[in-house]
Every structure is written in C-alpha cells, then in structure tokens.
Amino acid sequence: MSLLINGARLADGTITDLYLKDGVLADPASAPAGVERFDAAGLLAIPGLVDLHTHLRQPGREDAETVDSGTDAAARGGFTCVHAMANTSPVTDTAEAAEYVHALGEREGHCQVQVVGAVTKGLAGEELAELGMMADSKAKVRVFSDDGKCVSDSLLMRRALTYVKAFDGMVAQHSQDPRLAGSTACCHESEWSGRLGLPGWPSQAESVIVARDVELAALTDSRVHVCHVSTAESVEIIRWAKKRGVKVTAEATPHHLLLDTPLVASYDTTFKVNPPLRTSEHVEAIREALADGTIDVVGTDHAPHARQDKDHPFDIALPGMLGLEQALAVVIEVMINTGRMDWPTLVQRMSSTPAALGQVPGQGRPLAIGEPANLVLVDPTARAAVDAAASKSRSRNNPYHGRDLPDPVVATYWRGRQTYSR
Ligand SMILES: [Zn+2]
C-alpha cells in the first residue's frame, strides 16, 4: 500500500506531508502523480501508540477477548503495539507459550503484539518461570510480569530482577501486598468502603510494595516498572527513588486518571478494578506525576471480561475494565485540554517511552523519512458520547459508556497499512 497524507501537523507544530510506501515513511517528493491521497488538514499526525499493559485473554478466555478483537480495539484507539499480559490460560510462563502468543499476534494482530512473560511459574509466586528461555525465544520477551498478582516474596523478586539484567529486561510489578489487601479487597479503604460495606484496599498495600521494590531495584541495579500506580504515596516513593537514580519507571491507567471512588456507590461492577478507583486527592496526584514525568507512561490495563463474570455482587465480580479505545481520549481530556501537558510530552508518555521500556524495535519512532510507517491521525477537537456497544472489543465493561469525551482517532496505520479508519 502507498498513500500520501497531505498537510498533517506534527506534535511539534510543523505542517508536513507523509508518504507511506512499503511499510516505511518515504520522501513525499518521490510520490508518483497518481498516488492515493488523504487530506489531513486540521489533523495531527503522531507516532502509533504503544501499550505496555494489555490483556488479550487468548489463550483461554476467547469469549472475553481474542488477539484479533483486542488488537482491533487497539487500532481503533490509535495503538500500533500492545504488550499482552501473561495471565492467560495456560499462563505465558514458558518459551513455547510465549512463541504461541507471538505467532498469534503475527497472524491475527491488527497491531504488533509483544509478549509479556510471567515472572513465576503459573503466577504462583513460588518459583521463577523460564525467563531466559522466553527472552531467547522468537517472542524475544523483555517485559516480565505476574500482573493480576503481586510477586510478594522479596527474595524471588530480587532473583527476578537479577536474572533479567542479562538481557536488559524489566520486571513489571502489580504492587499489592496480599496480606494488607487480599483477594476480596475491592474498594479504596476510606469512608466510602465503610459506608458501602465493601472490603477495603488501603493505599499503603500498594506503596509498601513500591517502596520494597525500588530498594530491590537499587540493590540489583536492575529495572523495575510499577504497573497501574493508583496512590499519592506510591508517587512520592517513585519520585524519591528516581532522584536517587534507581531504575524505576511507572505507568498510570486512563481510569485512574479520570475516575474516582464515588462511582463505586452505584455498585455497578463495571467500576470494579484492581487496584480500585481512588479518591480525588489520589487522582490529582496521578495527574501531576504523569505531567512531571514521575509517572513515565500511560498503560491501559485493558481488561475485558465476559458479562457472566461481571454479573455478580460487587465483591465477587471479576475486577477490570476496558481501556484501549478511550485511552487517548482520556489523556487528551485530563492532560491536554486542561493545559497540563503538550503534544510532544503526550507522544513520549504514550509512544516513545513505552516502546523504549519494552525494547520494541520500530515503534515509538519519530515521523521522519526512513522510519517505519506506524502512525495515528488525530482530530484533537472531535467529541462524542462513548457507546459501549460500538466497541471493537468482545467485552462491554467500558467505564466511559455515556460520557462525553474527545473522539480523537481518525485513522491508524501500522507497518504502512491502514488498520483503522473512522
Ligand atoms: Zn493488568
């Protein structure tokens, strides 16, 4: 496919033509006269978004999502690469399992699928998984996570951090002390959890693990990444650790940037997520940290669930919400439209930095001649009410349903091919 995009504005304000040819950005001056054209006047062109934290549910829960449907949703959200979390069935904890998901991505993906390997066998938290073999496999795994569960054993976490150093890998931690916030914890511990009669999830159950992990990252001189930061206390610890030069990075989810605890009062299980929605003071701390770089990236934690897993009382329903399709919309709404962030910074937080952290070649690159044609065309002013029924995901647990939000993604191109068009 070849396409000449005319008059797009780059994140830095430059107006330019982009010529997509054979999967790369070629010199627009070399485009033949009859080439297909797209008039992008008024639109922004930014590098394709990269997600470090996606649940594609395949293998095992294809009723909730597949590589096909999940990456279709990703393309609609402007993503050209997602990292598929390991908590599938079977768990991605061997080279063979990693290669299987990788092959599914190459065959059925509407964007690049990078495989996240489990840190421990079966996510059981007892024995390290085959980290080196997953790294050496065709899937070239560089990010390891037991996400959904915390690697709570300090010695095991130390060993994992030590092991991944050999290939500059990263351990992405789901920070949740299982004693302070057990499997039933489902509401930010506060006046709300008391009033609603829901088991409390104190913010310190997150921050005590973050504090331990930054110390272990310092001890091993290895890379730790804090998944879905949800509390002001965690932000303070990460800020302190970065000042000391610890190799710690962190992500914020769209939902922790926009939604807060009072939504849980409806007992609508769409709003059940782990870690839980926090109070507005925590939300404010997350926004500030994403703006100043203490939180490095946006990670969606896109977590599709079939209806039968959400149709339960609040404390029993599975936690998780969709995130890929509205991630950019939410970041525009709370960060760009409020003047907290500019477009070049958004590109860092949602494309170049996550690509660098995940060591993904060809992603998060500037839109320049010779670079891979991974990009998204954005209308920064369009708005619409979110309609959960219109989702490309197989699931409908969309927490933004009915909200008026930006509707930014006009078209997405991956490896020079159009993967979404409005
Ligand atoms: Zn997750």
Side-chain angles (χ1 to χ4, degrees):
M1 182 192 129
S2 58
L3 173 71
L4 185 61
I5 296 172
N6 288 117
R9 185 159 52 88
L10 302 181
D12 67 3
T14 319
I15 307 282
T16 191
D17 295 339
L18 297 162
Y19 179 35
L20 286 62
K21 185 172 183 284
D22 302 329
V24 297
L25 294 172
D27 183 355
S30 72
V35 72
E36 189 187 340
R37 285 166 187 269
F38 185 101
D39 178 11
L43 302 182
L44 264 167
I46 60 175
L49 307 181
V50 176
D51 191 16
L52 279 174
H53 193 149
T54 304
H55 297 274
L56 292 176
R57 303 299 186 212
Q58 189 177 8
R61 285 308 302 266
E62 289 82 356
D63 57 328
E65 199 77 288
T66 60
V67 168
D68 178 22
S69 66
T71 56
D72 203 11
R76 188 193 184 206
F79 289 87
T80 52
C81 176
V82 298
H83 286 70
M85 277 296 175
N87 64 338
T88 46
S89 180
V91 170
T92 311
D93 58 2
T94 63
E96 189 186 17
E99 288 188 347
Y100 175 69
V101 175
H102 173 73
L104 275 177
E106 288 298 307
R107 195 170 73 223
E108 293 169 23
H110 302 268
C111 72
Q112 189 166 335
V113 175
Q114 291 292 116
V115 179
V116 177
V119 178
T120 69
K121 286 183 183 168
L123 309 179
E126 286 163 7
E127 245 182 297
L128 285 187
E130 297 175 357
L131 308 182
M133 284 162 83
M134 286 190 272
D136 288 343
S137 75
K138 279 185 203 144
K140 293 193 170 51
V141 178
R142 290 295 179 271
V143 182
F144 296 86
S145 182
D146 275 3
D147 181 57
K149 288 186 175 172
C150 181
V151 181
S152 60
D153 182 315
S154 307
L155 181 58
L156 211 53
M157 187 64 180
R158 177 187 183 173
R159 285 187 180 142
L161 286 164
T162 304
Y163 207 108
V164 301
K165 267 183 80 171
F167 38 86
D168 195 24
M170 177 173 99
V171 178
Q173 176 73 291
H174 174 120
S175 308
Q176 177 179 9
D177 183 306
R179 298 281 289 159
L180 282 175
S183 56
T184 61
C186 62
C187 179
H188 174 57
E189 187 175 294
S190 61
E191 59 179 278
W192 286 100
S193 54
R195 196 185 308 163
L196 299 171
L198 293 171
W201 203 127
S203 54
Q204 286 75 10
E206 178 175 293
S207 52
V208 296
I209 297 294
V210 175
R212 184 204 69 177
D213 285 351
V214 298
E215 288 289 25
L216 293 176
L219 174 65
T220 55
D221 189 32
S222 186
R223 296 201 289 146
V224 72
H225 177 76
V226 186
C227 292
H228 40 53
V229 174
S230 71
T231 78
E233 294 86 353
S234 301
V235 165
E236 279 311 305
I237 292 163
I238 294 162
R239 198 170 274 140
W240 169 80
K242 282 189 160 172
K243 259 187 218 134
R244 291 172 64 212
V246 176
K247 292 174 182 165
V248 56
T249 54
E251 78 194 16
T253 70
H255 48 274
H256 288 115
L257 284 165
L258 182 68
L259 310 176
D260 59 7
T261 314
L263 286 165
V264 170
S266 64
Y267 293 103
D268 179 345
T269 59
T270 310
F271 297 114
K272 180 173 176 180
V273 66
N274 194 22
L277 300 180
R278 304 289 185 185
T279 53
S280 57
E281 294 80 10
H282 292 285
V283 172
E284 178 56 30
I286 301 299
R287 292 175 178 179
E288 196 183 304
L290 185 65
D292 72 18
T294 302
I295 293 178
D296 306 77
V297 302
V298 173
T300 70
D301 196 7
H302 176 83
H305 285 300
R307 179 154 299 177
Q308 72 264 24
D309 294 318
K310 280 289 193 185
D311 269 351
H312 290 293
F314 199 89
D315 53 337
I316 296 169
L318 289 184
M321 40 181 70
L322 300 186
L324 286 168
E325 287 165 296
Q326 275 79 42
L328 181 60
V330 169
V331 177
I332 291 173
E333 186 77 343
V334 305
M335 305 301 290
I336 299 271
N337 290 349
T338 55
R340 286 170 177 265
M341 191 182 267
D342 57 18
W343 281 96
T345 309
L346 180 142
V347 169
Q348 281 179 19
R349 304 283 189 270
M350 297 190 78
S351 180
S352 43
T353 305
L357 294 182
Q359 293 192 55
V360 195
Q363 295 282 346
R365 303 289 305 161
L367 298 183
I369 292 170
E371 295 285 357
N374 297 322
L375 64 118
V376 50
L377 292 178
V378 169
D379 181 346
T381 60
R383 298 188 72 89
V386 175
D387 179 6
S391 179
K392 302 272 190 192
S393 171
R394 280 203 177 174
S395 293
R396 290 291 173 265
N397 50 318
N398 187 322
Y400 311 110
H401 177 67
R403 265 179 198 260
D404 174 65
L405 277 179
D407 186 18
V409 181
V410 174
T412 308
Y413 302 89
W414 170 50
R415 295 175 178 169
R417 185 163 64 79
Q418 185 175 282
T419 50
Y420 172 75
S421 165
R422 181 133 81 199

